[in-house]
Amino acid sequence: MPPAPSAATPLSFELGGFAFGIHDGDAFGFGGGVQVGLHFPHWLGLEAVMAGSSQRERAMERGTAAYRLFSLGVGGNARRTWRVAFVDLGVMPEATLLTVSGRNLQSGRNATRWGLAAAARARFGLVYGGWRPFLFMG
């Protein structure tokens, strides 16, 4: 007798948006992003994430500096899905863009710097029909 066919989850695509809060010393801000995912049968997947933060300000000796951070990354993830919930863990390299502008400073200089980072992300969510509301940690 041949083995029974596997009940693997079919290939799936997801598009999601998220919002987050940032606390950096005495500077607080908000951010948001978009995530696109492709999940293969079983537990592996690929995802791309683009996120940006609102501008925050920090006091300096002779004025203030305002800064914001943007990031874009593509990487792999592993997902475990149950009937009503899922857990998603991912690791991805990211390109980052940091912009800094001086305020009330004599030089009034602005700077933009590109960088590379590695990000680890975890999502815990509910399965509700075609919707997947989630809690995001990165």
Side-chain angles (χ1 to χ4, degrees), residues 24-98:
D24 184 14
D26 60 352
F28 183 78
F30 293 99
V34 176
Q35 176 172 337
V36 176
L38 179 64
H39 298 280
F40 303 111
H42 303 294
W43 54 275
L44 288 176
L46 292 172
E47 66 182 0
V49 176
M50 182 175 64
S53 71
S54 64
Q55 186 167 287
R56 296 165 299 213
E57 289 192 13
R58 298 287 305 234
M60 299 180 71
E61 188 174 320
R62 294 187 179 114
T64 60
Y67 63 101
R68 63 178 60 207
L69 180 67
F70 300 95
S71 64
L72 173 65
V74 177
N77 67 9
R79 175 181 284 184
R80 172 78 170 134
T81 303
W82 297 274
R83 178 178 277 167
V84 297
F86 71 91
V87 173
D88 191 281
L89 304 172
V91 175
M92 69 181 59
E94 290 184 334
T96 61
L97 176 64
L98 175 66

Side-chain angles (χ1 to χ4, degrees), residues 79-131:
R79 175 181 284 184
R80 172 78 170 134
T81 303
W82 297 274
R83 178 178 277 167
V84 297
F86 71 91
V87 173
D88 191 281
L89 304 172
V91 175
M92 69 181 59
E94 290 184 334
T96 61
L97 176 64
L98 175 66
T99 62
V100 180
S101 62
R103 296 178 187 232
N104 303 324
L105 300 175
Q106 290 177 353
S107 66
R109 294 187 57 188
N110 297 329
T112 299
R113 174 158 291 168
W114 286 93
L116 295 175
R121 302 178 185 276
R123 292 189 310 155
F124 304 94
L126 299 175
V127 176
Y128 186 71
W131 294 94

